[in-house]
Amino acid sequence: MNILDKIIERKKQEVAEAKSKISVEQLKDSAFFGRPTFSLKETIKTKSGIISEFKRQSPSKGIINDKVSPLEVASQYENFGASAVSILTDKDFFGGSFDDILSVRNHVNIPILRKDFMIDEYQFYEAKSIGADVILLIAACLSPNQVLEFTELAHSLDLEVLLEIHSEEELKQINKNVDFVGINNRNLKDFKVDLQHSVDLKNQLPKDIFSVAESGIYNEEDFNFLREKGFDGFLMGEYFMKNENPGNKFATFVKSIM
């Protein structure tokens, strides 16, 4: 199995365990379930366009930064112009948790993307219950039907949808209801980065859909290259998180691209 297959197998177990402990009705009773959500469609146009990520570790890089708190980092991201903050909630492979979003939600006024491997309807109620505004769907682990059904469910919960693709084959996963299409510059199976491959895919997207470049943006040159090619948003995590102070690194980066 490749790493994505391993993650999905574990995720199935994790979701089954969660369902046995907390029902959907209990999730609906949470404090955040009824809150109005923030729209990434708005902030991606009015702020930097960068979805800055809080990420402690990854399967390919190991520990990236486990010394800083989600609240400290997310607050700085917002202060320096992030359009949204992405927070990983996968525990086993990325060192995340629901608490990472819960600790931030009441303290920032920009959208929070719950970044996880969404394979079950239950996870969408979880996302809403912890205060997320946007969810990630990964085409590589879903069928076109699932993408459509999950998008409709997300919208019924007032959550926006970022659909991630990384191959031409996955273009067929796109439906007119998804809010954003993210193109992962890093192949999920071998973790190689190819910016030109992403540009080639972007040129095949529907013209009226927001496009987001994801991962593998390592410097201002990468960012500017992708911006010049017409990407609307940029999901960046490791570039900031590998710094001792991710917020300061983000501030310096934003100044360099303005």
Side-chain angles (χ1 to χ4, degrees), residues 41-217:
K41 281 185 174 178
E42 294 303 316
T43 58
I44 208 166
K45 294 183 291 186
T46 58
K47 296 180 180 291
S48 66
I50 300 174
I51 305 167
S52 304
E53 192 157 84
F54 179 85
K55 177 165 67 173
R56 290 188 181 86
Q57 66 188 59
S58 77
S60 61
K61 301 291 183 179
I63 299 295
I64 298 168
N65 188 337
D66 59 358
K67 306 298 183 188
V68 290
S69 76
L71 178 56
E72 172 191 351
V73 173
S75 297
Q76 289 179 306
Y77 283 162
E78 180 183 25
N79 289 343
F80 295 120
S83 289
V85 56
S86 167
I87 300 180
L88 285 110
T89 54
D90 177 80
K91 179 182 178 182
D92 292 350
F93 295 89
F94 290 87
S97 74
F98 291 168
D99 286 341
D100 291 343
I101 290 182
L102 290 167
S103 68
V104 170
R105 179 66 282 167
N106 278 332
H107 302 280
V108 299
N109 292 308
I110 55 175
I112 293 177
L113 165 67
R114 178 194 177 182
K115 196 174 184 191
D116 210 316
F117 298 82
M118 309 294 277
I119 57 167
D120 191 285
E121 290 185 358
Y122 181 84
Q123 294 169 285
F124 294 79
Y125 294 96
E126 283 181 334
K128 182 70 171 176
S129 74
I130 59 177
D133 304 281
V134 189
I135 55 89
L136 178 74
L137 296 182
I138 300 174
C141 56
L142 299 170
S143 69
N145 249 5
Q146 285 177 308
V147 171
L148 182 59
E149 289 170 6
F150 286 165
T151 299
E152 290 173 351
L153 174 58
H155 286 171
S156 76
L157 296 171
D158 202 23
L159 301 170
E160 291 177 335
V161 173
L162 170 61
L163 172 65
E164 175 180 304
I165 66 172
H166 70 271
S167 72
E168 192 165 341
E169 175 71 12
E170 290 169 2
L171 288 166
K172 70 177 187 289
Q173 307 280 67
I174 300 169
N175 64 71
K176 61 183 176 59
N177 295 327
V178 298
D179 301 289
F180 313 89
V181 172
I183 300 178
N184 199 330
N185 305 308
R186 181 183 292 119
N187 189 301
L188 289 179
K189 294 179 179 175
D190 61 18
F191 287 92
K192 291 179 181 175
V193 171
D194 184 350
L195 299 186
Q196 185 57 50
H197 175 67
S198 299
V199 172
D200 293 341
L201 284 179
K202 186 210 174 304
N203 291 337
Q204 299 178 65
L205 296 182
K207 298 298 181 190
D208 58 347
I209 200 159
F210 284 100
S211 58
V212 178
E214 301 182 10
S215 303
I217 303 172

